[in-house]
Amino acid sequence: EDEQIVAEIMGRRFFPDLIAYKTWEGFHFAGHEIRITEATDCYGAVVWPSALVLCYFLETNSKQCNLVDKNVIEIGAGTGLVSIVASLLGAFVTATDLPELLGNLEHNVLQNTKQKCKHQPCVKELSWGIDLEKNFPRSSCHFDYIMAADVVYHHPFLDELLLTFDHLCKDDTVILWVMKFRLENENRFVDRFQMLFDLEMISSFPSLNIVLYKAMRKGRMKS
């Protein structure tokens, strides 16, 4: 079953027949052909398998996870694929990442959503743990969903990542988080995450070392 579903997920990717002056990768999600411009010199500007897993889940579970008119923020949006798919499924999306990635992110989001979405998504800078209250005040920012794909990897900002999840998450916010397991130090982040949030594994793909989680604040999952 794992291999069959993984083959379906990866089958959503396609490549151009001819290589033009500007290289891109193509994907089929939410009834649209999505063209993503990447930059191979930066981790944050590449589409990783975790993003495909999350996009596939959003599309194939659109009834249970109805995004229409929902307020969604993606942290570590990278190329913007997840944000684009969420937008095409009817959500009002805020796609966030580091300042140096915003140009490519904004290009991809605009190219793939203009005049195609109920709500035009926005792109905003978010450096984890920095100026959170200033840029995303708790009193006025309410997100129905926080989405994150492959944000836990070998970097020194895991404390700031956890702080960002904590700041953005209200009592009724649902976190959809795809985790690729690589190194033990990074894997321990899951234990730290569970100190603040209840965690439920929705899907597991052993061939990719990827797990899709749903999370909410402690004590809110069942209620």
Side-chain angles (χ1 to χ4, degrees):
E1 185 181 3
D2 170 55
E3 292 181 358
Q4 183 178 354
I5 296 176
V6 167
E8 164 66 15
I9 292 171
M10 295 305 161
R12 299 304 184 93
R13 169 186 274 141
F14 70 94
F15 299 94
D17 294 329
L18 297 173
I19 302 299
Y21 74 98
K22 200 168 191 178
T23 59
W24 53 270
E25 250 189 301
F27 304 87
H28 289 292
F29 285 109
H32 290 267
E33 178 183 296
I34 301 169
R35 296 188 178 193
I36 296 293
T37 301
E38 297 179 307
T40 56
D41 59 342
C42 179
Y43 287 125
V46 176
V47 177
W48 298 101
S50 294
L52 300 184
V53 168
L54 185 48
C55 289
Y56 180 82
F57 171 81
L58 296 177
E59 181 190 76
T60 57
N61 292 272
S62 58
K63 290 184 178 180
Q64 303 95 310
C65 182
N66 187 353
L67 297 183
V68 177
D69 298 330
K70 295 298 193 298
N71 201 10
V72 172
I73 186 169
E74 184 186 5
I75 61 175
T79 61
L81 180 61
V82 171
S83 288
I84 291 164
V85 172
S87 297
L88 293 171
L89 291 171
F92 181 83
V93 177
T94 302
T96 71
D97 216 312
L98 296 169
E100 60 266 28
L101 296 173
L102 295 187
N104 189 59
L105 173 58
E106 193 161 19
H107 167 77
N108 285 328
V109 168
L110 183 63
Q111 175 177 270
N112 290 285
T113 62
K114 190 175 182 181
Q115 298 181 334
K116 298 178 183 177
C117 298
K118 184 176 183 180
H119 308 288
Q120 186 60 37
C122 68
V123 174
K124 191 170 181 179
E125 176 185 342
L126 173 53
S127 298
W128 298 338
I130 298 176
D131 293 331
L132 293 176
E133 182 58 30
K134 176 184 175 182
N135 296 323
F136 300 90
R138 289 180 184 270
S139 59
S140 59
C141 287
H142 183 283
F143 297 105
D144 299 296
Y145 289 92
I146 299 171
M147 297 186 184
D150 213 356
V151 292
V152 179
Y153 50 91
H154 184 60
H155 60 68
F157 302 111
L158 294 181
D159 289 340
E160 290 80 1
L161 174 59
L162 188 59
L163 181 65
T164 301
F165 273 122
D166 185 41
H167 180 85
L168 296 174
C169 189
K170 295 287 198 297
D171 283 347
D172 58 347
T173 301
V174 174
I175 299 172
L176 294 175
W177 167 34
V178 185
M179 169 80 172
K180 181 174 177 65
F181 287 86
R182 296 184 177 92
L183 303 174
E184 184 60 32
N185 185 45
E186 298 161 8
N187 298 348
R188 285 198 293 268
F189 180 84
V190 177
D191 297 327
R192 295 174 56 202
F193 185 88
Q194 290 185 94
M195 295 175 67
L196 298 176
F197 304 99
D198 288 324
L199 201 59
E200 175 188 346
M201 185 178 71
I202 297 177
S203 301
S204 176
F205 303 97
S207 62
L208 298 173
N209 288 328
I210 286 175
V211 174
L212 169 60
Y213 291 113
K214 172 185 175 182
M216 294 186 75
R217 283 207 174 275
K218 283 284 187 183
R220 301 296 300 183
M221 189 81 82
K222 293 181 180 180
S223 62

